[in-house]
Amino acid sequence: MAALGSPLRTLRGLLRELRHASSPAGRPYRDTPAYKHIIAAFRAHRVTSEKLCRAQQELHFQAATYLCLLRSVRQHAALHREYHGKGERSPEEVAGLVGFRLPQQPGGKG
Amino acid sequence: ERKRFYQNVSISQGEGGFEINLDHRKLKTPQAKLFAVPSEALAIAVATEWDSQRDTIKFYTMHLTTLCNTALDNPTQRNKTQLIRSAVKFLETDTVCYRVEEPPALAELQKNEWDPIVAWAEERYKVAIGSSTSFLGPNIPASTKETFVSHLASYNMWALQGIEYVVTQLKSLILSMGLIDRHITVERAVLLSRLEEEYQIQRWGNVEWAHDYDQCELRARVAAGTLFVHLCSESSTVKHKLLQD
C-alpha cells in the first residue's frame, strides 16, 4: 500500500494549505466548507496510526492526494510568479540595464 | 484573464447534483450547461478552487473545475468504449515498460524503480506485461489488454474521464492503476513517470524554473485527476443520475 506517513501530519498539512489559500479579506479559513468537511471526515473516521481499517486508509489517501494538489498548485503559482510572470521590461528598465537613461523630450515624442 | 467578479462562493444541492454558486449566480460549464457534480466533497473542492482566486481568475490552476467541465461537456464526444481504448492503448508504450540500455546507470535505475511496479500490476491483475529495450516497445499480449479493458469498464463515465486524463499526463497506464488502487502516492507516481528527468537532475543539477515548475504542474494535474476518480467512484456519495453509464 502507499507510503502515506502519519495521518496527523497530513491533516496539519491540509489545514495549513487551506489557511494559505484563504484570503485575509474573505471568510476566516475555519469557516469554509472545505475546512469543515475535512475536520468532520477525520473525526468521523478517527484516522489514527492503525493500519487496519480500509475506510481509514482510503480517507487518508484521499486527504494526502488533496494535500498534494493544494501544495503543488501553490508552489507552481509561486514559481510562475517568480520566473515566468514578469513580462517584458519597459524601455526605461532596458536602458537602465546598460547604464543609459532615456532622453527627456519636452512636449513628448514626435 | 478575467477579474474575480464574485464575493462569495457556496454550494447548493440541486436535482442534477451539487452546484456551485458565485454570489447569486450558478456556475455554468464552457458549453453553458449547469455545473452539477455527483459528489459533495468534489463540489467543496471545486468551490475552494474558485474561492482561492484573488484579483484575476487563473483557470490553469483550477484542475478539478476543468475535469468537471470535461465530464459535463464531453467536448471530444467520446463514449466509454473510446475512453477505455485510449487509456489501454498507452500500455503499448507505457513509460515503465519502455527501457533504455544506455547509460548503464539509468538502465539500472529503471530496473530498480520500475520493475517492482510492473510486478505489482502483473500480480494484482494476473496478467503478463514485461518490459522491453526494443525500439518497438513491449509486446503486450491481447489477453492482458482485455483484462484491463474489462476492469476499466467497471468505472462510470466521470471516473473514466479522470482515469484517461491521468494516463495521458503520466504516459503510463500502469502508474495510473497504481494510483487508482492506492498502491503508490501521487508524488511517487510523478517521480516514476519522470525517472529519466530525475536521473539527469541528479547528474547535472536542478533548474528550479524548469524542473520544479514542471514537477509541480504534473503533481497538481495528477493529484487532481486521482482525487477526481476516487470522488466520482464512491458509491455512498454519488448521485447516479448524472453518471450516464
Side-chain angles (χ1 to χ4, degrees):
Chain A
M1 285 294 116
L4 289 172
S6 125
L8 188 57
R9 200 147 173 237
T10 306
L11 177 61
R12 269 203 212 116
L14 262 174
L15 300 184
R16 199 175 301 134
E17 288 300 328
L18 286 178
R19 207 176 62 223
H20 282 303
S22 73
S23 85
R27 292 157 84 180
Y29 79 104
R30 280 182 229 264
D31 223 3
T32 56
Y35 182 93
K36 292 180 189 162
H37 181 90
I38 288 168
I39 294 284
F42 268 78
R43 233 177 236 151
H45 289 260
R46 291 235 182 260
V47 183
T48 62
S49 316
E50 287 164 41
K51 290 167 199 168
L52 301 171
C53 178
R54 191 194 148 100
Q56 281 177 2
Q57 211 260 352
E58 280 179 16
L59 172 66
H60 190 194
F61 188 90
Q62 235 172 63
T65 304
Y66 190 44
L67 172 57
C68 181
L69 172 59
L70 290 175
R71 200 179 262 161
S72 307
V73 165
R74 182 174 55 82
Q75 286 170 344
H76 181 258
L79 283 169
H80 188 89
R81 261 192 319 269
E82 168 109 23
Y83 292 110
H84 301 275
K86 296 223 164 80
E88 275 192 9
R89 292 189 182 90
S90 70
E92 285 81 10
E93 285 177 329
V94 174
L97 279 178
V98 288
F100 294 137
R101 280 186 311 198
L102 291 178
Q104 310 283 1
Q105 285 179 321
K109 285 184 83 167
Chain B
E1 257 191 357
R2 260 197 102 165
K3 282 204 167 64
R4 178 170 172 153
F5 56 88
Y6 48 91
Q7 290 263 29
N8 294 312
V9 184
S10 61
I11 301 160
S12 53
Q13 191 166 356
E15 266 192 22
F18 295 90
E19 300 159 1
I20 312 289
N21 305 304
L22 305 174
D23 289 332
H24 56 272
R25 284 169 287 244
K26 289 204 181 293
L27 178 62
K28 301 255 172 44
T29 69
Q31 289 181 8
K33 294 199 184 105
L34 179 65
F35 188 101
V37 301
S39 151
E40 186 178 11
L42 181 56
I44 291 174
V46 169
T48 307
E49 282 185 341
W50 283 88
D51 209 22
S52 308
Q53 305 307 312
R54 293 290 155 259
D55 309 307
T56 56
I57 302 177
K58 298 181 165 43
F59 288 106
Y60 61 84
T61 62
M62 299 162 75
H63 302 289
L64 289 172
T65 303
T66 308
L67 280 162
C68 293
N69 281 333
T70 305
L72 285 162
D73 286 345
N74 195 5
T76 57
Q77 295 285 321
R78 286 185 292 181
N79 62 27
K80 225 174 137 169
T81 311
Q82 288 166 315
L83 281 175
I84 293 174
R85 199 186 315 139
S86 164
V88 176
K89 189 140 173 52
F90 262 90
L91 201 49
E92 294 162 21
T93 51
D94 203 300
T95 299
V96 301
C97 299
Y98 220 126
R99 307 293 174 89
V100 299
E101 284 171 316
E102 302 246 307
L106 178 56
E108 180 79 16
L109 187 65
Q110 289 183 341
K111 185 164 159 297
N112 293 336
E113 298 298 322
W114 287 348
D115 277 359
I117 188 92
V118 175
W120 166 82
E122 288 178 327
E123 167 58 36
R124 159 90 176 79
Y125 290 96
K126 305 283 181 276
V127 290
I129 302 174
S131 62
S132 168
T133 54
S134 150
F135 190 93
L136 300 167
N139 190 10
I140 310 285
S143 55
T144 299
K145 292 185 202 173
E146 274 314 304
T147 304
F148 282 111
V149 167
S150 281
H151 178 76
L152 289 178
S154 67
Y155 287 90
N156 62 56
M157 191 62 180
W158 279 60
L160 274 173
Q161 296 274 16
I163 293 172
E164 201 259 353
Y165 177 74
V166 173
V167 172
T168 314
Q169 292 300 317
L170 290 174
K171 310 288 187 282
S172 164
L173 176 66
I174 294 175
L175 290 177
S176 306
M177 294 323 295
L179 273 171
I180 307 296
D181 292 345
R182 300 182 189 86
H183 180 68
I184 51 175
T185 61
V186 171
E187 289 89 342
R188 178 96 184 129
V190 167
L191 187 146
L192 290 175
S193 175
R194 287 167 42 94
L195 196 65
E196 180 158 0
E197 276 103 316
E198 295 298 323
Y199 167 76
Q200 302 295 358
I201 290 167
Q202 295 285 338
R203 270 214 76 188
W204 302 105
N206 188 40
V207 177
E208 203 181 29
W209 54 260
H211 291 137
D212 286 0
Y213 188 79
D214 288 346
Q215 186 193 55
C216 286
E217 176 162 43
L218 190 58
R219 277 183 180 177
R221 287 165 177 237
V222 172
T226 306
L227 191 61
F228 184 82
V229 172
H230 286 147
L231 291 176
C232 293
S233 316
E234 281 176 352
S235 49
S236 55
T237 56
V238 149
K239 290 199 159 281
H240 288 280
K241 220 198 307 193
L242 251 179
L243 294 172
Q244 311 154 27
D245 275 349

